[in-house]
Amino acid sequence: MLDPLITSKTRIRLLVKFFSNPHTKAYLREIAEEFGESTNSVRVELNRLSEAKLLLSEPDGRTIKYSANEKHPLFPDIRQIISKFLGLDKIAQDIVRKLGDIDKALVIGDYAKGIDSGTIELVIVGRKVDLNLLQELSGKVEKLIHRKISAEVFSPETFEAEKEKFRHPILVYAP
């Protein structure tokens, strides 16, 4: 979907990494290793995004740490485009809202870290969640977004007791 607009696959991956979850901070070598690309190709794209002020670069000892510039005027728009690209908007619209008494839905795991791994881990917090409908809707949305959905359902009490294990989740639904 973004390929015709942005010809650099590395740039797309960087936008996904940093704009899917604004808590993400990473170093050049860490990103290059994660992407399986040379540091030079990643550096070129990091520099372009930094020059456009979409990414912030902060010295950290002998390295530079990169993060999304949340104050950039296009930040909300790019974040929304990335959400649509990953299919997170479809999860919120087509799955969560139809399941019953839902307090919130969160994306955890790779996608919360900005890694487009192909499997979206979804945590649904609520009471009286229709598990059969969840399975049915997940299958339909998987076909639309071309990614697997792995969902776990928690009661509000269980989620509160275990929420510390979910680092920097992305909130995709809250009434």
Side-chain angles (χ1 to χ4, degrees), residues 76-137:
D77 299 317
I78 294 172
R79 190 161 155 85
Q80 186 176 20
I81 290 168
I82 295 301
S83 178
K84 285 181 188 262
F85 172 71
L86 295 174
L88 301 181
D89 62 323
K90 285 283 183 201
I91 290 172
Q93 291 171 10
D94 296 349
I95 296 179
V96 178
R97 291 187 179 146
K98 298 176 182 176
L99 289 178
D101 185 12
I102 305 296
D103 292 349
K104 62 182 141 192
L106 309 159
V107 171
I108 61 168
D110 285 347
Y111 279 85
K113 295 174 193 166
I115 301 168
D116 187 359
S117 65
T119 300
I120 297 174
E121 296 176 62
L122 183 63
V123 171
I124 298 169
V125 181
R127 302 186 192 287
K128 300 178 187 172
V129 176
D130 186 337
L131 298 177
N132 291 328
L133 184 59
L134 171 61
Q135 188 173 14
E136 179 186 328
L137 293 174

Short mmCIF file of all heavy atoms in Angstrom, two decimals, residues 76-137:
data_model
loop_
_atom_site.label_atom_id
_atom_site.label_comp_id
_atom_site.label_asym_id
_atom_site.label_seq_id
_atom_site.Cartn_x
_atom_site.Cartn_y
_atom_site.Cartn_z
N PRO A 76 0.69 13.17 13.84
CA PRO A 76 -0.58 12.44 13.95
C PRO A 76 -1.01 11.83 12.62
O PRO A 76 -1.56 10.72 12.59
CB PRO A 76 -1.59 13.50 14.41
CG PRO A 76 -0.82 14.70 14.78
CD PRO A 76 0.55 14.58 14.20
N ASP A 77 -0.74 12.53 11.53
CA ASP A 77 -1.15 12.02 10.21
C ASP A 77 -0.33 10.80 9.81
O ASP A 77 -0.87 9.81 9.33
CB ASP A 77 -1.00 13.12 9.16
CG ASP A 77 -1.89 14.32 9.46
OD1 ASP A 77 -3.06 14.12 9.84
OD2 ASP A 77 -1.39 15.46 9.33
N ILE A 78 0.98 10.86 10.02
CA ILE A 78 1.84 9.72 9.68
C ILE A 78 1.48 8.54 10.57
O ILE A 78 1.40 7.40 10.10
CB ILE A 78 3.33 10.09 9.81
CG1 ILE A 78 3.69 11.13 8.75
CG2 ILE A 78 4.21 8.84 9.67
CD1 ILE A 78 5.07 11.71 8.89
N ARG A 79 1.23 8.80 11.82
CA ARG A 79 0.84 7.72 12.75
C ARG A 79 -0.46 7.05 12.28
O ARG A 79 -0.59 5.83 12.31
CB ARG A 79 0.68 8.29 14.15
CG ARG A 79 0.52 7.25 15.22
CD ARG A 79 0.83 7.86 16.57
NE ARG A 79 0.17 7.14 17.60
CZ ARG A 79 0.65 6.05 18.18
NH1 ARG A 79 1.81 5.57 17.82
NH2 ARG A 79 -0.02 5.44 19.12
N GLN A 80 -1.41 7.84 11.81
CA GLN A 80 -2.67 7.30 11.31
C GLN A 80 -2.45 6.49 10.03
O GLN A 80 -3.05 5.42 9.86
CB GLN A 80 -3.66 8.44 11.06
CG GLN A 80 -5.03 7.96 10.68
CD GLN A 80 -6.01 9.11 10.54
OE1 GLN A 80 -5.63 10.25 10.36
NE2 GLN A 80 -7.28 8.79 10.60
N ILE A 81 -1.59 6.97 9.14
CA ILE A 81 -1.28 6.23 7.92
C ILE A 81 -0.63 4.90 8.26
O ILE A 81 -0.98 3.85 7.70
CB ILE A 81 -0.38 7.07 6.99
CG1 ILE A 81 -1.18 8.23 6.41
CG2 ILE A 81 0.22 6.21 5.88
CD1 ILE A 81 -0.32 9.29 5.71
N ILE A 82 0.30 4.90 9.20
CA ILE A 82 0.98 3.66 9.61
C ILE A 82 -0.03 2.71 10.24
O ILE A 82 0.00 1.50 10.00
CB ILE A 82 2.16 3.96 10.57
CG1 ILE A 82 3.25 4.76 9.84
CG2 ILE A 82 2.71 2.69 11.17
CD1 ILE A 82 3.85 4.10 8.61
N SER A 83 -0.93 3.23 11.03
CA SER A 83 -1.97 2.40 11.65
C SER A 83 -2.82 1.72 10.57
O SER A 83 -3.13 0.53 10.66
CB SER A 83 -2.85 3.26 12.55
OG SER A 83 -3.87 2.50 13.12
N LYS A 84 -3.18 2.46 9.54
CA LYS A 84 -3.95 1.89 8.43
C LYS A 84 -3.11 0.87 7.67
O LYS A 84 -3.60 -0.19 7.28
CB LYS A 84 -4.44 2.98 7.49
CG LYS A 84 -5.59 3.77 8.05
CD LYS A 84 -6.04 4.83 7.07
CE LYS A 84 -7.05 5.73 7.71
NZ LYS A 84 -8.40 5.41 7.41
N PHE A 85 -1.85 1.17 7.44
CA PHE A 85 -0.94 0.27 6.74
C PHE A 85 -0.83 -1.07 7.47
O PHE A 85 -0.85 -2.13 6.86
CB PHE A 85 0.44 0.93 6.60
CG PHE A 85 1.51 0.02 6.07
CD1 PHE A 85 1.51 -0.38 4.74
CD2 PHE A 85 2.53 -0.43 6.89
CE1 PHE A 85 2.50 -1.21 4.24
CE2 PHE A 85 3.52 -1.26 6.41
CZ PHE A 85 3.51 -1.65 5.08
N LEU A 86 -0.72 -1.01 8.80
CA LEU A 86 -0.60 -2.23 9.59
C LEU A 86 -1.94 -2.94 9.80
O LEU A 86 -1.98 -4.10 10.17
CB LEU A 86 0.01 -1.91 10.96
CG LEU A 86 1.44 -1.41 10.95
CD1 LEU A 86 1.87 -0.99 12.35
CD2 LEU A 86 2.39 -2.45 10.39
N GLY A 87 -3.04 -2.22 9.58
CA GLY A 87 -4.35 -2.81 9.76
C GLY A 87 -4.91 -2.64 11.16
O GLY A 87 -5.92 -3.24 11.51
N LEU A 88 -4.27 -1.80 11.98
CA LEU A 88 -4.73 -1.62 13.35
C LEU A 88 -6.09 -0.93 13.38
O LEU A 88 -6.90 -1.18 14.27
CB LEU A 88 -3.71 -0.81 14.16
CG LEU A 88 -2.31 -1.43 14.24
CD1 LEU A 88 -1.39 -0.54 15.08
CD2 LEU A 88 -2.34 -2.83 14.79
N ASP A 89 -6.37 -0.09 12.39
CA ASP A 89 -7.68 0.56 12.32
C ASP A 89 -8.78 -0.48 12.05
O ASP A 89 -9.86 -0.40 12.60
CB ASP A 89 -7.69 1.64 11.25
CG ASP A 89 -7.43 1.11 9.85
OD1 ASP A 89 -6.60 0.18 9.69
OD2 ASP A 89 -8.04 1.62 8.89
N LYS A 90 -8.48 -1.47 11.22
CA LYS A 90 -9.45 -2.53 10.93
C LYS A 90 -9.72 -3.39 12.17
O LYS A 90 -10.83 -3.83 12.39
CB LYS A 90 -8.95 -3.43 9.79
CG LYS A 90 -9.05 -2.80 8.45
CD LYS A 90 -10.46 -2.85 7.98
CE LYS A 90 -10.60 -2.29 6.58
NZ LYS A 90 -11.94 -1.89 6.29
N ILE A 91 -8.68 -3.63 12.95
CA ILE A 91 -8.85 -4.41 14.18
C ILE A 91 -9.82 -3.68 15.10
O ILE A 91 -10.76 -4.27 15.63
CB ILE A 91 -7.50 -4.66 14.88
CG1 ILE A 91 -6.67 -5.64 14.05
CG2 ILE A 91 -7.70 -5.19 16.30
CD1 ILE A 91 -5.26 -5.80 14.53
N ALA A 92 -9.60 -2.39 15.28
CA ALA A 92 -10.46 -1.61 16.18
C ALA A 92 -11.89 -1.54 15.64
O ALA A 92 -12.85 -1.75 16.38
CB ALA A 92 -9.90 -0.20 16.36
N GLN A 93 -12.03 -1.27 14.34
CA GLN A 93 -13.37 -1.09 13.76
C GLN A 93 -14.12 -2.40 13.61
O GLN A 93 -15.30 -2.49 13.93
CB GLN A 93 -13.26 -0.44 12.38
CG GLN A 93 -12.82 0.99 12.42
CD GLN A 93 -12.51 1.50 11.00
OE1 GLN A 93 -12.79 0.85 10.02
NE2 GLN A 93 -11.91 2.67 10.93
N ASP A 94 -13.45 -3.41 13.08
CA ASP A 94 -14.15 -4.62 12.67
C ASP A 94 -14.18 -5.73 13.72
O ASP A 94 -15.01 -6.62 13.64
CB ASP A 94 -13.54 -5.18 11.38
CG ASP A 94 -13.70 -4.23 10.21
OD1 ASP A 94 -14.45 -3.25 10.35
OD2 ASP A 94 -13.08 -4.45 9.17
N ILE A 95 -13.29 -5.70 14.66
CA ILE A 95 -13.27 -6.77 15.66
C ILE A 95 -13.76 -6.28 17.00
O ILE A 95 -14.79 -6.71 17.51
CB ILE A 95 -11.85 -7.38 15.81
CG1 ILE A 95 -11.40 -8.04 14.51
CG2 ILE A 95 -11.81 -8.39 16.94
CD1 ILE A 95 -10.01 -8.63 14.57
N VAL A 96 -13.02 -5.38 17.60
CA VAL A 96 -13.21 -5.02 19.00
C VAL A 96 -14.59 -4.44 19.29
O VAL A 96 -15.23 -4.81 20.25
CB VAL A 96 -12.08 -4.06 19.45
CG1 VAL A 96 -12.30 -3.63 20.88
CG2 VAL A 96 -10.73 -4.74 19.30
N ARG A 97 -15.06 -3.55 18.45
CA ARG A 97 -16.33 -2.87 18.72
C ARG A 97 -17.52 -3.81 18.69
O ARG A 97 -18.58 -3.47 19.20
CB ARG A 97 -16.53 -1.74 17.72
CG ARG A 97 -15.55 -0.62 17.97
CD ARG A 97 -15.83 0.58 17.10
NE ARG A 97 -14.86 1.63 17.41
CZ ARG A 97 -14.38 2.47 16.54
NH1 ARG A 97 -14.78 2.42 15.29
NH2 ARG A 97 -13.51 3.37 16.90
N LYS A 98 -17.37 -4.97 18.09
CA LYS A 98 -18.51 -5.89 17.94
C LYS A 98 -18.51 -7.03 18.96
O LYS A 98 -19.40 -7.86 18.94
CB LYS A 98 -18.50 -6.49 16.53
CG LYS A 98 -18.64 -5.45 15.45
CD LYS A 98 -18.53 -6.07 14.08
CE LYS A 98 -18.64 -5.00 13.01
NZ LYS A 98 -18.44 -5.54 11.66
N LEU A 99 -17.53 -7.07 19.84
CA LEU A 99 -17.35 -8.24 20.70
C LEU A 99 -18.15 -8.25 21.98
O LEU A 99 -18.27 -9.28 22.62
CB LEU A 99 -15.87 -8.41 21.05
CG LEU A 99 -14.98 -8.86 19.92
CD1 LEU A 99 -13.54 -8.94 20.38
CD2 LEU A 99 -15.43 -10.19 19.36
N GLY A 100 -18.63 -7.14 22.44
CA GLY A 100 -19.35 -7.12 23.70
C GLY A 100 -18.87 -5.99 24.59
O GLY A 100 -18.51 -4.92 24.12
N ASP A 101 -18.81 -6.25 25.87
CA ASP A 101 -18.46 -5.25 26.87
C ASP A 101 -16.93 -5.16 26.97
O ASP A 101 -16.30 -5.85 27.78
CB ASP A 101 -19.07 -5.65 28.22
CG ASP A 101 -18.85 -4.60 29.29
OD1 ASP A 101 -18.44 -3.48 28.95
OD2 ASP A 101 -19.10 -4.92 30.47
N ILE A 102 -16.33 -4.31 26.13
CA ILE A 102 -14.87 -4.20 26.05
C ILE A 102 -14.43 -2.90 26.72
O ILE A 102 -14.94 -1.83 26.41
CB ILE A 102 -14.40 -4.19 24.57
CG1 ILE A 102 -14.92 -5.41 23.81
CG2 ILE A 102 -12.88 -4.09 24.48
CD1 ILE A 102 -14.42 -6.73 24.32
N ASP A 103 -13.46 -3.03 27.64
CA ASP A 103 -12.87 -1.85 28.28
C ASP A 103 -11.81 -1.21 27.41
O ASP A 103 -11.70 0.00 27.30
CB ASP A 103 -12.25 -2.21 29.63
CG ASP A 103 -13.28 -2.61 30.66
OD1 ASP A 103 -14.49 -2.41 30.41
OD2 ASP A 103 -12.89 -3.13 31.71
N LYS A 104 -10.96 -2.06 26.80
CA LYS A 104 -9.90 -1.57 25.93
C LYS A 104 -9.30 -2.73 25.15
O LYS A 104 -9.46 -3.89 25.52
CB LYS A 104 -8.83 -0.83 26.71
CG LYS A 104 -8.09 -1.65 27.74
CD LYS A 104 -7.10 -0.77 28.46
CE LYS A 104 -7.06 -1.13 29.94
NZ LYS A 104 -6.35 -0.17 30.73
N ALA A 105 -8.61 -2.37 24.09
CA ALA A 105 -7.86 -3.35 23.30
C ALA A 105 -6.48 -2.77 23.04
O ALA A 105 -6.34 -1.58 22.73
CB ALA A 105 -8.57 -3.65 21.99
N LEU A 106 -5.47 -3.61 23.18
CA LEU A 106 -4.08 -3.18 23.05
C LEU A 106 -3.35 -4.10 22.09
O LEU A 106 -3.61 -5.31 22.06
CB LEU A 106 -3.37 -3.26 24.40
CG LEU A 106 -4.05 -2.59 25.59
CD1 LEU A 106 -3.55 -3.16 26.88
CD2 LEU A 106 -3.80 -1.11 25.54
N VAL A 107 -2.41 -3.54 21.36
CA VAL A 107 -1.49 -4.34 20.56
C VAL A 107 -0.21 -4.43 21.36
O VAL A 107 0.30 -3.42 21.86
CB VAL A 107 -1.26 -3.71 19.17
CG1 VAL A 107 -0.14 -4.42 18.44
CG2 VAL A 107 -2.53 -3.76 18.36
N ILE A 108 0.32 -5.65 21.47
CA ILE A 108 1.56 -5.88 22.21
C ILE A 108 2.54 -6.60 21.27
O ILE A 108 2.24 -6.83 20.11
CB ILE A 108 1.32 -6.71 23.49
CG1 ILE A 108 0.73 -8.08 23.14
CG2 ILE A 108 0.40 -5.96 24.46
CD1 ILE A 108 0.72 -9.06 24.30
N GLY A 109 3.68 -6.99 21.79
CA GLY A 109 4.63 -7.80 21.03
C GLY A 109 5.35 -7.00 19.96
O GLY A 109 5.63 -5.82 20.12
N ASP A 110 5.66 -7.69 18.84
CA ASP A 110 6.46 -7.09 17.79
C ASP A 110 5.87 -5.78 17.26
O ASP A 110 6.58 -4.81 17.06
CB ASP A 110 6.64 -8.06 16.61
CG ASP A 110 7.63 -9.17 16.94
OD1 ASP A 110 8.36 -9.06 17.94
OD2 ASP A 110 7.67 -10.16 16.18
N TYR A 111 4.58 -5.75 17.01
CA TYR A 111 3.98 -4.54 16.44
C TYR A 111 4.05 -3.38 17.42
O TYR A 111 4.20 -2.23 17.00
CB TYR A 111 2.54 -4.80 16.00
CG TYR A 111 2.52 -5.46 14.65
CD1 TYR A 111 2.64 -6.83 14.54
CD2 TYR A 111 2.43 -4.71 13.49
CE1 TYR A 111 2.66 -7.44 13.30
CE2 TYR A 111 2.45 -5.31 12.25
CZ TYR A 111 2.56 -6.68 12.15
OH TYR A 111 2.61 -7.28 10.93
N ALA A 112 3.97 -3.63 18.69
CA ALA A 112 4.11 -2.56 19.69
C ALA A 112 5.56 -2.04 19.71
O ALA A 112 5.80 -0.90 20.08
CB ALA A 112 3.70 -3.04 21.07
N LYS A 113 6.49 -2.89 19.25
CA LYS A 113 7.89 -2.47 19.17
C LYS A 113 8.21 -1.86 17.82
O LYS A 113 9.34 -1.46 17.56
CB LYS A 113 8.80 -3.68 19.38
CG LYS A 113 8.72 -4.30 20.75
CD LYS A 113 9.55 -5.56 20.80
CE LYS A 113 9.24 -6.36 22.04
NZ LYS A 113 9.77 -7.72 21.96
N GLY A 114 7.23 -1.84 16.91
CA GLY A 114 7.46 -1.28 15.59
C GLY A 114 8.04 -2.26 14.61
O GLY A 114 8.66 -1.87 13.64
N ILE A 115 7.85 -3.55 14.85
CA ILE A 115 8.37 -4.59 13.96
C ILE A 115 7.18 -5.24 13.25
O ILE A 115 6.31 -5.82 13.89
CB ILE A 115 9.16 -5.66 14.76
CG1 ILE A 115 10.32 -5.00 15.51
CG2 ILE A 115 9.64 -6.76 13.83
CD1 ILE A 115 10.99 -5.89 16.53
N ASP A 116 7.18 -5.14 11.94
CA ASP A 116 6.10 -5.72 11.13
C ASP A 116 6.43 -7.19 10.88
O ASP A 116 6.94 -7.56 9.84
CB ASP A 116 5.97 -4.95 9.80
CG ASP A 116 4.76 -5.37 8.99
OD1 ASP A 116 4.03 -6.28 9.42
OD2 ASP A 116 4.57 -4.81 7.91
N SER A 117 6.12 -8.03 11.87
CA SER A 117 6.49 -9.45 11.81
C SER A 117 5.45 -10.33 11.13
O SER A 117 5.72 -11.49 10.85
CB SER A 117 6.72 -9.97 13.23
OG SER A 117 5.50 -9.93 13.95
N GLY A 118 4.27 -9.80 10.89
CA GLY A 118 3.23 -10.60 10.25
C GLY A 118 2.19 -11.14 11.21
O GLY A 118 1.15 -11.62 10.79
N THR A 119 2.45 -11.08 12.52
CA THR A 119 1.48 -11.52 13.52
C THR A 119 1.22 -10.38 14.50
O THR A 119 2.14 -9.91 15.17
CB THR A 119 1.97 -12.76 14.29
OG1 THR A 119 2.18 -13.83 13.36
CG2 THR A 119 0.95 -13.19 15.33
N ILE A 120 -0.02 -9.96 14.56
CA ILE A 120 -0.41 -8.89 15.48
C ILE A 120 -0.95 -9.54 16.75
O ILE A 120 -1.91 -10.30 16.70
CB ILE A 120 -1.49 -7.98 14.85
CG1 ILE A 120 -0.92 -7.29 13.61
CG2 ILE A 120 -2.00 -6.96 15.86
CD1 ILE A 120 -1.92 -6.49 12.82
N GLU A 121 -0.30 -9.25 17.87
CA GLU A 121 -0.74 -9.77 19.17
C GLU A 121 -1.69 -8.75 19.79
O GLU A 121 -1.30 -7.60 20.03
CB GLU A 121 0.45 -10.02 20.08
CG GLU A 121 1.39 -11.09 19.55
CD GLU A 121 2.61 -11.24 20.41
OE1 GLU A 121 2.46 -11.59 21.61
OE2 GLU A 121 3.72 -10.96 19.90
N LEU A 122 -2.90 -9.19 20.05
CA LEU A 122 -3.96 -8.32 20.53
C LEU A 122 -4.38 -8.76 21.93
O LEU A 122 -4.60 -9.94 22.17
CB LEU A 122 -5.14 -8.39 19.57
CG LEU A 122 -6.35 -7.52 19.80
CD1 LEU A 122 -5.99 -6.05 19.70
CD2 LEU A 122 -7.44 -7.86 18.78
N VAL A 123 -4.47 -7.80 22.85
CA VAL A 123 -4.97 -8.05 24.20
C VAL A 123 -6.31 -7.33 24.31
O VAL A 123 -6.39 -6.12 24.09
CB VAL A 123 -4.00 -7.55 25.28
CG1 VAL A 123 -4.63 -7.61 26.66
CG2 VAL A 123 -2.71 -8.34 25.25
N ILE A 124 -7.35 -8.07 24.65
CA ILE A 124 -8.68 -7.50 24.80
C ILE A 124 -9.06 -7.59 26.27
O ILE A 124 -8.97 -8.66 26.88
CB ILE A 124 -9.71 -8.25 23.93
CG1 ILE A 124 -9.31 -8.10 22.46
CG2 ILE A 124 -11.12 -7.73 24.18
CD1 ILE A 124 -10.08 -8.98 21.53
N VAL A 125 -9.44 -6.45 26.85
CA VAL A 125 -9.80 -6.39 28.25
C VAL A 125 -11.30 -6.09 28.33
O VAL A 125 -11.77 -5.10 27.79
CB VAL A 125 -9.02 -5.28 28.99
CG1 VAL A 125 -9.40 -5.24 30.46
CG2 VAL A 125 -7.52 -5.49 28.82
N GLY A 126 -12.03 -6.99 28.98
CA GLY A 126 -13.46 -6.76 29.10
C GLY A 126 -14.19 -7.94 29.71
O GLY A 126 -13.60 -8.95 30.06
N ARG A 127 -15.48 -7.78 29.83
CA ARG A 127 -16.35 -8.81 30.38
C ARG A 127 -17.29 -9.28 29.27
O ARG A 127 -17.64 -8.53 28.37
CB ARG A 127 -17.18 -8.25 31.52
CG ARG A 127 -16.35 -7.67 32.64
CD ARG A 127 -17.24 -7.25 33.82
NE ARG A 127 -16.51 -6.47 34.77
CZ ARG A 127 -15.60 -6.94 35.61
NH1 ARG A 127 -15.29 -8.20 35.59
NH2 ARG A 127 -14.99 -6.14 36.45
N LYS A 128 -17.70 -10.52 29.34
CA LYS A 128 -18.66 -11.08 28.39
C LYS A 128 -18.22 -10.89 26.94
O LYS A 128 -18.96 -10.38 26.11
CB LYS A 128 -20.05 -10.47 28.60
CG LYS A 128 -20.62 -10.71 29.97
CD LYS A 128 -21.97 -10.05 30.10
CE LYS A 128 -22.45 -10.16 31.55
NZ LYS A 128 -23.65 -9.37 31.77
N VAL A 129 -16.99 -11.28 26.65
CA VAL A 129 -16.46 -11.19 25.29
C VAL A 129 -16.89 -12.44 24.53
O VAL A 129 -16.71 -13.56 25.01
CB VAL A 129 -14.92 -11.07 25.31
CG1 VAL A 129 -14.36 -11.07 23.90
CG2 VAL A 129 -14.50 -9.82 26.07
N ASP A 130 -17.46 -12.26 23.36
CA ASP A 130 -17.93 -13.36 22.53
C ASP A 130 -16.72 -13.97 21.82
O ASP A 130 -16.27 -13.47 20.78
CB ASP A 130 -18.97 -12.85 21.53
CG ASP A 130 -19.62 -13.95 20.73
OD1 ASP A 130 -19.02 -15.04 20.59
OD2 ASP A 130 -20.73 -13.71 20.22
N LEU A 131 -16.19 -15.07 22.36
CA LEU A 131 -14.97 -15.69 21.83
C LEU A 131 -15.19 -16.29 20.44
O LEU A 131 -14.28 -16.25 19.61
CB LEU A 131 -14.45 -16.75 22.81
CG LEU A 131 -14.05 -16.21 24.19
CD1 LEU A 131 -13.61 -17.35 25.10
CD2 LEU A 131 -12.96 -15.16 24.08
N ASN A 132 -16.37 -16.84 20.19
CA ASN A 132 -16.64 -17.38 18.85
C ASN A 132 -16.64 -16.27 17.80
O ASN A 132 -16.08 -16.43 16.71
CB ASN A 132 -17.97 -18.14 18.83
CG ASN A 132 -17.90 -19.41 19.63
OD1 ASN A 132 -16.86 -20.05 19.72
ND2 ASN A 132 -19.01 -19.79 20.24
N LEU A 133 -17.26 -15.15 18.13
CA LEU A 133 -17.28 -14.02 17.22
C LEU A 133 -15.87 -13.46 17.03
O LEU A 133 -15.49 -13.07 15.93
CB LEU A 133 -18.23 -12.93 17.73
CG LEU A 133 -18.42 -11.71 16.84
CD1 LEU A 133 -18.95 -12.11 15.46
CD2 LEU A 133 -19.36 -10.71 17.50
N LEU A 134 -15.08 -13.44 18.12
CA LEU A 134 -13.69 -12.98 18.04
C LEU A 134 -12.93 -13.81 17.01
O LEU A 134 -12.24 -13.27 16.15
CB LEU A 134 -13.01 -13.07 19.41
CG LEU A 134 -11.50 -12.82 19.45
CD1 LEU A 134 -11.17 -11.42 18.95
CD2 LEU A 134 -10.97 -13.04 20.85
N GLN A 135 -13.07 -15.11 17.07
CA GLN A 135 -12.37 -16.00 16.14
C GLN A 135 -12.85 -15.75 14.70
O GLN A 135 -12.05 -15.66 13.77
CB GLN A 135 -12.58 -17.45 16.53
CG GLN A 135 -11.75 -18.42 15.74
CD GLN A 135 -11.87 -19.83 16.29
OE1 GLN A 135 -12.74 -20.15 17.08
NE2 GLN A 135 -10.97 -20.69 15.84
N GLU A 136 -14.14 -15.62 14.52
CA GLU A 136 -14.71 -15.40 13.19
C GLU A 136 -14.25 -14.06 12.60
O GLU A 136 -13.80 -14.00 11.45
CB GLU A 136 -16.25 -15.43 13.29
CG GLU A 136 -16.96 -15.18 11.98
CD GLU A 136 -18.46 -15.08 12.17
OE1 GLU A 136 -19.02 -15.76 13.08
OE2 GLU A 136 -19.08 -14.31 11.42
N LEU A 137 -14.35 -13.00 13.39
CA LEU A 137 -13.95 -11.67 12.91
C LEU A 137 -12.45 -11.59 12.67
O LEU A 137 -12.00 -10.94 11.72
CB LEU A 137 -14.40 -10.59 13.88
CG LEU A 137 -15.91 -10.38 14.01
CD1 LEU A 137 -16.22 -9.39 15.12
CD2 LEU A 137 -16.51 -9.91 12.70
#
